[in-house]
Amino acid sequence: MFLSLRSEVEGALEGALTALEFPADDLGIEEPPEDVESVLASSVAFRLAGEAGAAPPQVAAQIADEIDVDDLTYVSAVETQGPYLNFLPSDAYFADTLEAGTDDDYGHLEPKGESVVVEHTSANPTGPVHVGRARNPIIGDAVANVLDAAGYDVERHYYVNDAGRQMAVFTWAYETFDEEDLDEPPARDRVEYDLVRYYREGNEFLETAPEAEVEAAEAEIESIMRGLEAGDEGAYERVSEVVDRVLGGMTECLARLPAEFDEFVKETRFMLDGATDDLVDRLKALDEAVYEEEAWQLELDAHGIDKNLVFLRSDGTSLYATRDLAHHEWKFENYDRAVTVLGEDHKLQAKQLRTTLELLGDDTDQLQQVLYSYVNLPEGKMSTRRGTGVDLDDLLDEAIDRAREEVEDRLDDRIRDDDLDEGDVERIAHQVGIGAVRYDIVSKQPTKAITFEWDRALDFEAQSAPYVQYVHARCCGILEEAGLDPDAGYEDLERETDGDGDAGLLETEAERDLLETIARFPAVIEEAADDLEPHRVATYTREFADRFNTFYRECPVLADGVDPDVREARLALVAASRHTVANALSVLGVAAPRSM
């Protein structure tokens, strides 16, 4: 309803300014002051004071006089407060919010008819996903979710680096060494943990073996890379055996978050179909192209980039950047927009990519890049090359174990009374533990470096995932105690309560604040999608949880003595709250437990 109200306010202001012969190019719509019971405010009078030749409060009064609230559905009054115009919500605003809030898809906007591909994670398939990179799939999945909720046709892609030196080394090592050559068993019974040992052994060999043996190994690695470049089917099959198996294990890990993909796009695809060769020819033809230091490069100094983009080696082999350029042109041909989630260490490459695409004549308005800083644990930075890092699987296991302890402490009486069995506890521990990891990471602005801390992430009392999840569980508990289905929509709720859930009976400040917060949810989705900032949804859930908890403390729902009509209205408000918080958590990729 907030979006509809905002549209009404915009139309009313534009009409009033036109009638007063004022320009309507900037309406000055903003959040109202905290001490005012309005939903939106406008500071437009500040801008117009000079032109009107009057003080801002006088201009505000003139504009307010031109607005007829009888023509508006969701605005009951327009009041001035000094230079501000405040728009107060009508009963219809609250009534329609209460009804809309119980819809299963509440918060999802109308289809926009625009396709968006979101590329995220795209970690090199050289071993288990580690914690430092965990922010990419979590942010990427949330970005895709918020775009989907905003009405875009979204596809989630994982771009697979299967043509670089790392994969040639991995393939050579896998074919060269045997199980008995490896120092230790796999850390986990899954394929990528098994195979990464060969990769590590291969790297150690290349660093420590006698020079002649290293030269022979390097020659084989080079032949694999050249075979891929030449389109040799045997080379592709050799590399694919390793890539596909490792990627399969990494996918199992990512599914635990969950982060799932519609397509895995291999970079070798753009070598096989000739797109890379075509791109190289076009790059060579650019004025910025030079051949120096035994490689073809683009000089980008004139475009504000002080490092050249190398796109072809002297031996005729392409680089990752070359193939990624072809990949992005493919995206532009097949999607209206392309969003890429990248670590901060790719900032330079991202700038080189965009600039080069512009030089090639591509419309880079289609391209949006989300850059993020890495996640650290208190122990410090992590690395995978020598197996010294902390794997994402380990973090998730630890989260579940810690959540299980917390859940068992909190639910001790219910477990003893057989109200919850072991399966229930395990389910809740998974939902809370993994939810805590996702929420803690996605709730921060991507560009800010973060250190993951257990006490904060799993704090049921602080503004964390469990704090918000508990609101959902509490809503379900209230509805179930009233004999209602927590999933029920507004019409079902009316039928089961024999009432109409009259929003007009929700008169307290706590009830109105909660209704207003519910009404804003679609607007939060719209803003988060426009700016590719899913952390805004997390911020909203914390505010929502605070508002609901205030309502829960101050407005009894099922207590004796509550008027039956008020009881039904409050039950409708609880139902709307449940749908709202469940959908908001879903956008963040966090489970909404029915009990905690």
Side-chain angles (χ1 to χ4, degrees):
M1 293 306 107
F2 183 84
L3 291 174
S4 298
L5 182 145
R6 188 171 67 188
S7 178
E8 279 195 351
V9 168
E10 289 171 351
L13 279 173
E14 288 174 354
L17 295 178
T18 300
L20 293 168
E21 298 184 349
F22 290 149
D25 53 329
D26 180 5
L27 301 178
I29 294 176
E30 56 190 51
E31 292 290 322
E34 291 185 4
D35 59 341
V36 177
E37 294 183 359
S38 64
V39 178
L40 282 175
S42 171
S43 60
V44 68
F46 277 114
R47 176 176 65 83
L48 298 174
E51 183 172 341
Q58 293 175 288
V59 177
Q62 291 180 52
I63 297 171
D65 289 341
E66 286 292 332
I67 298 175
D68 185 356
V69 295
D70 291 338
D71 295 334
L72 306 178
T73 302
Y74 295 132
V75 177
S76 64
V78 182
E79 297 180 351
T80 60
Q81 183 185 34
Y84 288 96
L85 291 127
N86 295 309
F87 295 83
L88 279 62
S90 67
D91 289 340
Y93 178 72
F94 292 113
D96 286 358
T97 294
L98 191 62
E99 181 171 353
T102 58
D103 188 271
D104 283 342
D105 294 326
Y106 183 61
H108 287 69
L109 309 184
E110 292 296 319
K112 289 182 168 54
E114 185 175 336
S115 62
V116 183
V117 56
V118 178
E119 177 203 332
H120 68 83
T121 308
S122 301
N124 291 340
T126 53
V129 181
H130 71 102
V131 172
R133 300 278 178 175
R135 206 169 186 181
N136 197 312
I138 290 174
I139 292 176
D141 189 62
V143 166
N145 289 345
V146 79
L147 286 168
D148 181 69
Y152 294 95
D153 181 11
V154 178
E155 283 198 20
R156 299 157 170 83
H157 285 191
Y158 188 122
Y159 185 51
V160 183
N161 180 356
D162 64 336
R165 173 180 165 81
Q166 282 183 313
M167 294 318 304
V169 170
F170 203 157
T171 301
W172 160 79
Y174 177 66
E175 295 174 345
T176 300
F177 299 104
D178 296 320
E179 176 71 30
E180 55 266 25
D181 297 320
L182 308 176
D183 292 336
E184 56 188 25
R188 190 179 291 262
D189 185 19
R190 209 168 59 216
V191 63
E192 79 272 34
Y193 287 89
D194 178 24
L195 297 186
V196 73
R197 298 178 301 153
Y198 294 89
Y199 179 62
R200 291 169 183 159
E201 183 69 24
N203 277 300
E204 184 175 348
F205 179 91
L206 294 173
E207 291 180 359
T208 61
E211 184 177 349
E213 293 182 29
V214 171
E215 287 179 357
E218 290 288 1
E220 180 59 23
I221 292 166
E222 180 69 19
S223 73
I224 293 172
M225 294 176 64
R226 292 183 66 83
L228 292 175
E229 200 75 36
D232 178 68
E233 187 172 331
Y236 281 100
E237 289 177 356
R238 291 168 66 187
V239 173
S240 292
E241 180 180 357
V242 176
V243 169
D244 292 347
R245 293 183 66 195
V246 174
L247 194 61
M250 294 172 70
T251 303
E252 286 187 44
C253 170
L254 293 168
R256 298 182 66 189
L257 284 172
E260 298 178 344
F261 301 88
D262 297 301
E263 188 173 351
F264 292 85
V265 181
K266 292 184 175 180
E267 62 175 333
T268 49
R269 168 181 188 161
F270 305 103
M271 300 163 74
L272 283 170
D273 66 7
T276 302
D277 290 338
D278 175 69
L279 187 75
V280 165
D281 291 339
R282 291 161 57 208
L283 290 171
K284 286 181 178 180
L286 294 174
D287 292 339
E288 290 81 0
V290 296
Y291 184 83
E292 57 186 36
E293 298 181 4
E294 298 185 350
W296 278 96
Q297 310 180 37
L298 291 183
E299 290 184 336
L300 301 174
D301 303 68
H303 303 278
I305 301 173
D306 59 7
K307 185 173 181 178
N308 289 1
L309 173 72
V310 180
F311 63 88
L312 193 69
R313 300 183 184 92
S314 59
D315 61 4
T317 56
S318 60
L319 289 89
Y320 178 87
T322 326
R323 301 184 287 271
D324 199 26
L325 286 164
H327 172 217
H328 274 77
E329 291 195 326
W330 172 80
K331 291 184 192 179
F332 294 164
E333 291 174 3
N334 290 279
Y335 302 93
D336 297 316
R337 288 168 59 195
V339 176
T340 311
V341 181
L342 298 164
E344 62 184 355
D345 57 335
H346 289 79
K347 187 178 295 184
L348 172 62
Q349 293 94 318
K351 191 172 182 181
Q352 288 176 323
L353 177 86
R354 181 182 292 276
T355 300
T356 303
L357 289 168
E358 290 171 353
L359 293 173
L360 290 168
D362 293 303
D363 178 11
T364 56
D365 288 342
Q366 294 175 263
L367 176 61
Q368 294 174 281
Q369 295 159 329
V370 179
L371 294 168
Y372 65 91
S373 295
Y374 292 122
V375 177
N376 290 313
L377 294 179
E379 291 79 7
K381 294 184 178 180
M382 291 152 280
S383 166
T384 56
R385 190 166 180 270
R386 294 188 179 275
T388 58
V390 177
D391 296 322
L392 178 58
D393 280 309
D394 296 332
L395 180 71
L396 297 181
D397 287 348
E398 181 75 8
I400 293 167
D401 289 343
R402 288 175 179 258
R404 187 186 297 109
E405 292 177 8
E406 184 72 24
V407 168
E408 287 174 344
D409 287 344
R410 287 176 168 270
L411 300 179
D412 189 47
D413 291 338
R414 292 178 63 184
I415 293 170
R416 283 200 302 268
D417 296 339
D418 294 327
D419 189 23
L420 293 173
D421 59 25
E422 186 176 327
D424 292 322
V425 173
E426 198 62 27
R427 170 184 54 79
I428 296 169
H430 275 75
Q431 291 175 324
V432 172
I434 293 178
V437 171
R438 280 197 66 132
Y439 190 93
D440 193 70
I441 290 175
V442 80
S443 64
K444 311 296 191 305
Q445 288 188 23
T447 53
K448 292 185 178 180
I450 61 173
T451 298
F452 184 85
E453 296 176 0
W454 291 111
D455 291 344
R456 180 190 63 214
L458 285 168
D459 190 339
F460 278 63
E461 308 302 329
Q463 293 187 327
S464 60
Y467 177 73
V468 178
Q469 288 174 310
Y470 197 75
V471 167
H472 180 267
R474 176 165 277 165
C475 289
C476 291
I478 294 170
L479 294 169
E480 288 170 349
E481 187 178 347
L484 303 174
D485 179 4
D487 294 326
Y490 191 77
E491 291 182 2
D492 293 332
L493 200 66
E494 282 185 301
R495 203 160 41 242
E496 292 178 17
T497 60
D498 294 324
D500 59 4
D502 185 0
L505 298 174
L506 303 173
E507 298 176 328
T508 69
E509 182 179 353
E511 290 165 327
R512 288 296 167 112
D513 284 348
L514 181 55
L515 270 172
E516 287 179 12
T517 306
I518 291 171
R520 283 197 297 106
F521 179 44
V524 171
I525 292 295
E526 182 179 70
E527 292 164 4
D530 287 346
D531 297 329
L532 300 179
E533 293 184 340
H535 69 271
R536 292 191 180 194
V537 181
T539 301
Y540 169 81
T541 62
R542 293 194 292 268
E543 180 186 343
F544 179 91
D546 288 342
R547 292 282 175 89
F548 182 86
N549 287 334
T550 299
F551 159 76
Y552 180 77
R553 288 193 304 269
E554 299 181 5
C555 305
V557 180
L558 302 178
D560 293 338
V562 176
D563 180 273
D565 291 336
V566 172
R567 173 183 179 274
E568 290 171 3
R570 288 178 177 171
L571 280 171
L573 181 55
V574 172
S577 297
R578 190 210 74 78
H579 282 79
T580 301
V581 72
N583 291 345
L585 287 172
S586 177
V587 166
L588 299 173
V590 175
R594 285 204 174 206
S595 58
M596 284 178 66

